[in-house]
Amino acid sequence: MTPDFRRLVELVGDALQRPTHERSAFVERACAGDAGLLAEARALLAEAEATSLDALTARIAAGVGRAADSLGDRARPHPTQVGPYRIVGVLGEGGMGLVYRAEQPPPLRREVALKMVRGDLRGEGSRARFDAERRALAAMNHPGVARIYDAGATDEGAPYFVMELVEGAPITAFCDDHHLDVDARIQLMVEVCRAVQHAHLHGLIHRDLKPSNILVSASDGPARPRIIDFGIAKALEATADIETMHTAFGSVIGTLEYMSPEQAAGGATPVDTRSDVYSLGVILYQLVTGALPFTASELRDAGPAEAQRRLRDTDPPTPARRYQTTGERDAIARNRGTDPRSLQRRLHGDLGWVIMKALEKDAARRYQAANDLAADLERLLHSDPVEAGPPSRRYRAARFIRRHRTGVAAAAVVLVALLAGIALATAGFVRAKRAQQRAENEARRATMITNFLTGMLAQARPEESHGREVTVREVVDSMAVRIDREKSFADDPVVQAAVIHAIAETYSSLDRYDQAIPLFKRAIALRRSALGDTANLTLGSLGRLSSAQAVSGDLRGALQTQKEVVALAEKAFGRENDRYSGWLGDLGNMYADVGDLPNAERALTEALAIDRRVLGKDSKDLPITINNLATVLVDEGKCVAAIPLHEESIAMRRRLYGEPSAEVANALGNYAKALTCAGRPQMAEAPARTALAMSATVFGPDHHRTATVRVRLAEALLATGRAGEAEPLLRESVRAFQAINQRHWRVGDARARLGQALIAEGRGREGIAELEIGWAIYTETTALAAPRSREIAGAIAAYYESAGDPTSAKHWKEKATSAPN
Amino acid sequence: MEETRRRVTQILKGLDLSDPQQGQELLAVVYDELRQLARGKLLHERADHTLQPTALVHEAYLRLVDGRAVRWESRRHFFGTAARAMRQVLVDHARRRSAGKRGGDQEKVTLTTGLGEEVPGVADVIDLHDALEKLAANDPDLARLVELRFFAGLTLDEAADTLGISRRKVAKDWAVARVWLQRELGRE
């Protein structure tokens, strides 16, 4: 033992116990002139301040643990036989376990890779779950995904997988070794994305996409990427009750650098196909810039909690920025067959935006499917405009709002004042005998305020107001919070309900349905108990709730609410009046949206019959009901019957509203659809074009109602053999619908039509991808047995039939003719 | 097994610290036991769950030592030895593995999984071992403390008892030891 060293240890130990700012003085005193000792002490203290000792402890513990792990592996001698497979060699050791080279039993005798995985399948139910995953894995067949031939467990319960023996280097190494340029790398990634998409359609998520899982070989012909280990992570979940990635010391196992924020969070956060999209984004980032968005040391040195926080909250540098500040710019550029300046330039444009979109922290803002990413990448290769864009171009991009001090402040003040006004007015509220009447008066006042606000806000179109809209929303947000603490409301549920309804209404008009819906529900609950089930206001809130649910895509919820409304309305008003018929008509529409057309027709026919009896000639409601019934008839395929109804409704609306008007536009669009459906598409084009022009004028070109009309025109064009003209129209509409809700049924419907257009243009591969995605989205909220669902399935089946894939065709034909689920 | 247990207990009971032969014998026995345990543990571990060396050491203790027969100080001695044995086991194994890699695998790129993909940011056990050797040359007690913590998983209190020092001192030493390690391991 060196006496000096002991002294150093004592010294530093004491210093570390003191607060940071005292340490320097302390060691100086204690060293008493010994310069060498002082220098050593200072160096150690600097180290202590620069680092997290706990993170270090975790790192070391992880290293020891990892060593122990592999000890366990090698401590066991290699088997010569696993199940029916003969072990002929060792291929290596991965994160999950050993990989052997094995031989399939005769007569096949093909060489395969057999992966032994750590785990225990002896638990109850584990085997069944494992088998289910295994079957899903074996069912996949795609050139870009390594086949999983088989899986099983040894007698001791250790699981194993038998996979295609894939040759190749990790995609990053391959690209660097071959000095592939940026375009070639992008092209490779397009193939990877398509393979990933294929697996997603089969319900499999990879969860651990990273370069070492994507092997590329060019041994026979062009470079082909192959993805390995697909779905194994999921299959292994069967072996453990809790999927945990943390060791006792708290460090995270697995490749943090490629992990999506929601995966790193672990626990209850659901992981879906979009997590894979994120990982693809990281790989792309790496292929293009030579570096990772979050470096290994950034994530690991910080400790698991901090790493999670970083992934979730910190924005990584853009690819351009990362390359700019990296240390080996020359080498990186050389590996990409270019020079630093050109590479830097390339990274600044659309390529950077595409990558950043894949890396969005909020999964809803990423590309929703691997194919969407692939599509944008292909656009890059053809110098076409991409979907991704810089923040300022994005509609309702919450994080990048520019705050406007002027203008909106006024709106906010008004809102506050008005709501405060309600509070003041009711502060001195005295309960009298006709309390309910007075309450309804006050509530009526609130309704007027709401209408005023809604009207005022409706004038402010988002494209123009940018920050204006946001500041109002912030105010509404704070009002929503304050409402609970507002004492004067607490005593009076009726007023409280009125205010809550007003706030919900405001949220609705801002398209914040996630906020609006729970508030409507609260208002309903309050009104039910204070005013009764059948009070006007209660019904009003219920109606608004179902509306909000419908627009936000929760068609099933909307239907349920609406049924309730109709039943209550009948109780309150009887049948022979326009209030009842109004609710009934809305119910019919919702049935239609959910795909229950027989009930929709029934409801609307009844509603129309009542309306014809009780409404005057100049009623604006009559043409609405006519229009709605006609639409349903078209959906049912009874198009010929719908045509006279449409003609009647258009004539009425022209008289009532003039042109241009939203109502006429809507009616013309539906008329066009009916004509197309009745087999007269050549007659449909004119009204469709008129409707589109009118709609764009009235609602704006990006509005979802304009988008709906645009789809009608596209239908007519498709039906007259002009798929090429239909395609761009459909793409525009898809974008507009996606802005409301990525999973909206209209998105599914439009994408399916886009798929049909692409197929008609001869771009079968793209088209079938769109069709399948469209079907998936559409049937999330619409019954499988609904005519449109079946229609799409039928189109997919037809494609596979003509593409010479009878198995898939059969599969889809079943969906096209299935009985109701 | 029983035979081994008896022998180990005997050693611990009558342990003469100045007799290197006894220490070596104990080390050898514990070493073997740990390796056996690791092999047996494998099949029961869940996927993604790291094998805990500290758990192994504790289990080895239960199997090798008759707790009633030995004094408490001997127990401490066992852990000191076990920590050393564990460290040795892991380092030996790690060395064998890396030797194999450098020499052997002809088909460097024929893989179906990421071969040689080390988890970055994890302190390699060999590096730790080397750092500890260096530390031991300067201050063997400090090195032993680190060994007890990482390889036998003793708490600070248990480590303090094993080393025969106060709780306050062991806490201070633990901080300094890690700072020193950080500097040593940070040197590439």
Side-chain angles (χ1 to χ4, degrees):
Chain A
M1 178 184 330
T2 330
D4 278 343
F5 193 85
R6 225 324 93 176
R7 227 182 118 200
L8 175 65
V9 170
E10 294 289 343
L11 184 54
V12 175
D14 284 331
L16 285 174
Q17 302 225 307
R18 287 180 157 62
T20 321
H21 59 271
E22 285 179 29
R23 289 176 188 170
S24 187
F26 173 79
V27 291
E28 262 191 67
R29 271 199 313 272
C31 285
D34 184 341
L37 185 62
L38 183 58
E40 276 292 298
R42 283 224 169 102
L44 285 176
L45 284 175
E47 201 71 50
E49 268 136 50
T51 204
S52 156
L53 289 185
D54 289 328
L56 172 71
T57 310
R59 269 176 63 209
I60 295 178
V64 172
R66 205 173 143 71
D69 253 340
S70 76
L71 170 71
D73 284 340
R74 285 302 176 92
R76 202 175 43 176
H78 295 309
T80 50
Q81 183 92 10
V82 174
Y85 299 91
R86 195 167 74 88
I87 306 296
V88 296
V90 179
L91 283 173
E93 218 176 303
M96 282 192 245
L98 285 167
V99 187
Y100 295 112
R101 186 189 285 273
E103 208 180 73
Q104 283 178 323
L108 290 163
R109 296 188 140 261
R110 174 173 47 177
E111 279 207 333
V112 294
L114 191 143
K115 185 170 194 167
M116 298 290 318
V117 192
R118 277 183 220 107
D120 188 347
L121 281 182
R122 285 171 300 184
E124 227 180 82
S126 300
R127 197 56 200 267
R129 273 177 284 159
F130 180 76
D131 278 342
E133 285 302 319
R134 177 182 70 77
R135 262 178 270 126
L137 286 171
M140 262 207 303
N141 188 356
H142 189 281
V145 181
R147 292 290 312 274
I148 308 245
Y149 297 132
D150 193 8
T154 63
D155 291 330
E156 294 104 337
Y160 65 85
F161 291 89
V162 182
M163 311 181 286
E164 195 181 337
L165 189 54
V166 175
E167 309 255 345
I171 188 171
T172 40
F174 183 87
C175 288
D176 282 346
D177 288 342
H178 289 79
H179 291 261
L180 289 188
D181 64 17
V182 174
D183 276 353
R185 289 167 188 247
I186 292 176
Q187 185 59 52
L188 266 184
M189 279 307 286
V190 168
E191 288 187 48
V192 173
C193 289
R194 300 235 183 261
V196 171
Q197 179 69 54
H198 178 89
H200 286 174
L201 285 176
H202 279 262
L204 288 161
I205 312 171
H206 193 292
R207 291 164 181 235
D208 196 18
L209 280 171
K210 53 192 177 189
S212 52
N213 275 339
I214 304 177
L215 302 178
V216 186
S217 102
S219 49
D220 37 36
R224 289 253 89 102
R226 320 215 46 205
I227 307 177
I228 60 174
D229 279 1
F230 226 115
I232 288 187
K234 182 80 199 295
L236 288 176
E237 266 179 59
T239 68
D241 293 325
I242 318 158
E243 184 181 8
T244 172
M245 296 206 297
H246 299 259
T247 65
F249 271 97
S251 49
V252 180
I253 305 178
T255 8
L256 270 179
E257 294 81 355
Y258 301 93
M259 216 182 274
S260 62
E262 63 268 17
Q263 264 177 299
T269 339
V271 164
D272 61 23
T273 56
R274 299 171 299 182
S275 308
D276 277 350
V277 171
Y278 181 95
S279 305
L280 289 170
V282 180
I283 298 171
L284 194 52
Y285 190 109
Q286 195 181 4
L287 284 177
V288 154
T289 64
L292 291 164
F294 292 101
T295 60
S297 55
E298 251 185 272
L299 292 176
R300 289 186 181 274
D301 287 347
E306 176 63 18
Q308 275 179 31
R309 195 200 62 80
R310 281 206 193 152
L311 276 179
R312 227 184 30 236
D313 297 338
T314 322
D315 287 326
T318 60
R321 180 124 191 82
R322 172 64 93 206
Y323 179 66
Q324 200 162 41
T325 54
T326 197
E328 304 164 355
R329 305 181 77 226
D330 287 315
I332 292 174
R334 233 195 335 255
N335 276 339
R336 285 147 188 77
T338 183
D339 61 276
R341 273 189 60 195
S342 313
L343 183 55
Q344 185 76 63
R345 244 202 321 267
R346 189 82 200 264
L347 294 172
H348 267 289
D350 284 345
L351 173 56
W353 297 123
V354 170
I355 295 175
M356 292 310 277
K357 181 166 173 161
L359 292 179
E360 284 275 8
K361 305 206 176 291
D362 180 358
R365 304 177 70 89
R366 288 173 211 154
Y367 292 101
Q368 294 297 293
N371 259 2
D372 291 341
L373 172 56
D376 249 9
L377 288 175
E378 281 186 320
R379 285 187 201 109
L380 281 175
L381 292 174
H382 298 124
S383 303
D384 282 336
V386 298
E387 307 236 337
S392 58
R393 267 197 255 152
R394 277 188 237 141
Y395 180 68
R396 263 194 282 274
R399 283 185 298 147
F400 301 93
I401 303 299
R402 282 160 265 141
R403 287 166 196 270
H404 290 234
R405 299 288 154 88
T406 60
V408 202
V413 166
V414 169
L415 173 60
V416 171
L418 286 173
L419 288 176
I422 299 177
L424 287 175
T426 57
F429 186 76
V430 173
R431 286 183 199 283
K433 280 195 203 118
R434 299 188 58 216
Q436 183 170 354
Q437 181 59 55
R438 200 162 312 184
E440 290 206 52
N441 285 337
E442 288 303 325
R444 223 172 290 136
R445 231 190 100 183
T447 311
M448 287 181 347
I449 291 163
T450 303
N451 289 340
F452 172 85
L453 282 173
T454 313
M456 186 183 76
L457 290 168
Q459 281 170 27
R461 290 242 301 271
E463 288 85 359
E464 289 155 13
S465 56
H466 298 300
R468 239 192 328 158
E469 175 209 327
V470 171
T471 314
V472 170
R473 188 174 67 213
E474 283 174 349
V475 172
V476 174
D477 282 341
S478 62
M479 288 309 298
V481 168
R482 264 186 50 192
I483 187 83
D484 285 320
R485 290 186 258 150
E486 197 66 38
K487 271 195 290 199
S488 51
F489 293 166
D491 293 332
D492 200 318
V494 175
V495 176
Q496 195 178 16
V499 177
I500 290 175
H501 182 109
I503 295 173
E505 201 65 90
T506 312
Y507 274 126
S508 244
S509 68
L510 292 171
D511 281 340
R512 295 299 308 271
Y513 301 106
D514 50 334
Q515 235 95 322
I517 289 173
L519 286 175
F520 277 128
K521 288 185 177 169
R522 268 183 73 185
I524 290 166
L526 286 166
R527 282 175 167 171
R528 283 189 119 127
S529 65
L531 303 169
D533 276 350
T534 52
N536 268 339
L537 292 168
T538 312
L539 291 178
S541 287
L542 276 167
R544 296 299 297 127
L545 171 63
S546 77
S547 225
Q549 285 170 312
V551 175
S552 72
D554 176 16
L555 293 174
R556 299 212 164 112
L559 190 60
Q560 207 155 330
T561 311
Q562 194 67 19
K563 279 196 217 169
E564 227 187 306
V565 176
V566 170
L568 290 171
E570 190 181 353
K571 224 165 92 173
F573 313 120
R575 288 192 172 195
E576 203 66 16
N577 58 76
D578 67 324
R579 292 235 278 284
Y580 174 75
S581 72
W583 294 124
L584 183 59
D586 284 344
L587 176 61
N589 287 335
M590 282 176 193
Y591 271 126
D593 286 340
V594 170
D596 183 354
L597 293 172
N599 272 325
E601 190 187 336
R602 211 168 296 136
L604 284 165
T605 309
E606 191 190 330
L608 180 57
I610 298 174
D611 278 346
R612 284 200 200 278
R613 286 196 294 270
V614 306
L615 291 174
K617 202 165 44 83
D618 288 329
S619 157
K620 296 190 170 172
D621 290 334
L622 189 52
I624 293 178
T625 316
I626 293 176
N627 192 39
N628 291 337
L629 175 58
T631 314
V632 168
L633 289 172
V634 164
D635 282 340
E636 286 182 293
K638 303 178 182 174
C639 307
V640 176
I643 292 177
L645 284 174
H646 276 306
E647 287 166 354
E648 189 188 345
S649 131
I650 291 172
M652 265 189 222
R653 286 176 181 208
R654 280 194 165 130
R655 208 180 59 234
L656 290 165
Y657 300 100
E659 292 177 77
S661 63
E663 295 73 10
V664 175
N666 198 24
L668 281 170
N670 291 329
Y671 181 50
K673 180 171 177 171
L675 285 167
T676 308
C677 153
R680 287 135 74 170
Q682 59 281 40
M683 295 194 52
E685 194 183 337
R689 284 202 193 275
T690 313
L692 181 56
M694 215 184 282
S695 199
T697 311
V698 173
F699 294 111
D702 290 328
H703 200 277
H704 64 85
R705 289 178 70 165
T706 307
T708 308
V709 179
R710 199 175 291 117
V711 174
R712 302 283 161 261
L713 176 57
E715 277 171 42
L717 290 170
L718 259 178
T720 51
R722 287 133 78 191
E725 288 176 59
E727 186 197 334
L729 298 174
L730 288 165
R731 285 197 194 276
E732 255 189 273
S733 296
V734 169
R735 260 198 298 272
F737 293 136
Q738 278 175 332
I740 300 181
N741 175 359
Q742 297 266 7
R743 315 304 292 175
H744 203 285
W745 63 267
R746 287 195 198 274
V747 174
D749 173 66
R751 291 188 79 157
R753 283 192 209 282
L754 177 59
Q756 286 169 291
L758 289 167
I759 291 178
E761 288 179 85
R763 289 147 70 183
R765 266 183 63 197
E766 281 178 75
I768 189 64
E770 283 297 321
L771 261 176
E772 285 179 341
I773 292 176
W775 183 87
I777 297 177
Y778 190 80
T779 52
E780 264 175 32
T781 44
T782 312
L784 286 171
R788 180 67 183 135
S789 311
R790 297 216 222 142
E791 197 192 324
I792 302 174
I796 299 175
Y799 171 81
Y800 280 119
E801 192 77 58
S802 66
D805 182 355
T807 327
S808 300
K810 179 161 172 297
H811 169 70
W812 282 101
K813 232 186 286 235
E814 277 166 18
K815 286 201 176 25
T817 53
S818 66
N821 60 335
Chain B
M1 187 57 235
E2 258 316 298
E3 172 67 41
T4 318
R5 207 166 194 242
R6 254 200 308 268
R7 181 69 190 126
V8 168
T9 312
Q10 200 178 35
I11 294 177
L12 286 177
K13 272 171 74 174
L15 190 61
D16 177 3
L17 292 170
S18 62
D19 179 358
Q21 187 84 347
Q22 283 190 352
Q24 283 288 64
E25 195 184 339
L26 184 62
L27 185 64
V29 170
V30 176
Y31 184 102
D32 264 333
E33 185 62 26
L34 288 172
R35 285 188 62 219
Q36 292 237 21
L37 282 176
R39 192 190 313 165
K41 274 274 180 231
L42 171 67
L43 295 172
H44 299 275
E45 284 304 320
R46 297 192 286 217
D48 292 338
H49 186 89
T50 304
L51 204 58
Q52 287 301 323
T54 61
L56 286 181
V57 165
H58 284 267
E59 185 159 338
Y61 175 76
L62 290 173
R63 291 160 68 94
L64 289 175
V65 182
D66 181 353
R68 296 160 303 174
V70 297
R71 290 194 322 272
W72 201 67
E73 299 85 71
S74 311
R75 180 179 183 276
R76 287 168 4 208
H77 192 81
F78 176 87
F79 280 107
T81 309
R84 168 57 56 91
M86 189 79 234
R87 173 178 163 193
Q88 209 57 54
V89 167
L90 294 178
V91 169
D92 285 346
H93 176 72
R95 285 212 174 108
R96 252 179 280 132
R97 267 178 69 216
S98 54
K101 266 194 215 125
R102 269 194 285 279
D105 298 346
Q106 335 82 307
E107 303 155 282
K108 199 155 63 89
V109 283
T110 308
L111 299 169
T112 52
T113 183
L115 183 82
E117 154 222 333
E118 293 300 331
V119 179
V122 165
D124 190 74
V125 77
I126 294 179
D127 290 336
L128 177 61
H129 172 78
D130 292 339
L132 282 178
E133 296 278 75
K134 219 167 147 189
L135 181 57
N138 284 315
D139 187 343
D141 281 334
L142 214 55
R144 208 170 300 137
L145 170 58
V146 174
E147 200 178 61
L148 286 173
R149 290 279 306 179
F150 282 122
F151 294 101
L154 296 193
T155 63
L156 280 177
D157 282 330
E158 288 169 339
D161 288 327
T162 305
L163 292 169
I165 57 181
S166 77
R167 180 67 170 78
R168 263 200 68 201
K169 187 162 182 342
V170 82
K172 280 204 301 193
D173 281 355
W174 177 234
V176 181
R178 284 183 295 161
V179 173
W180 190 91
L181 272 179
Q182 164 76 14
R183 193 161 74 136
E184 193 59 32
L185 291 173
R187 286 196 232 273
E188 287 303 72

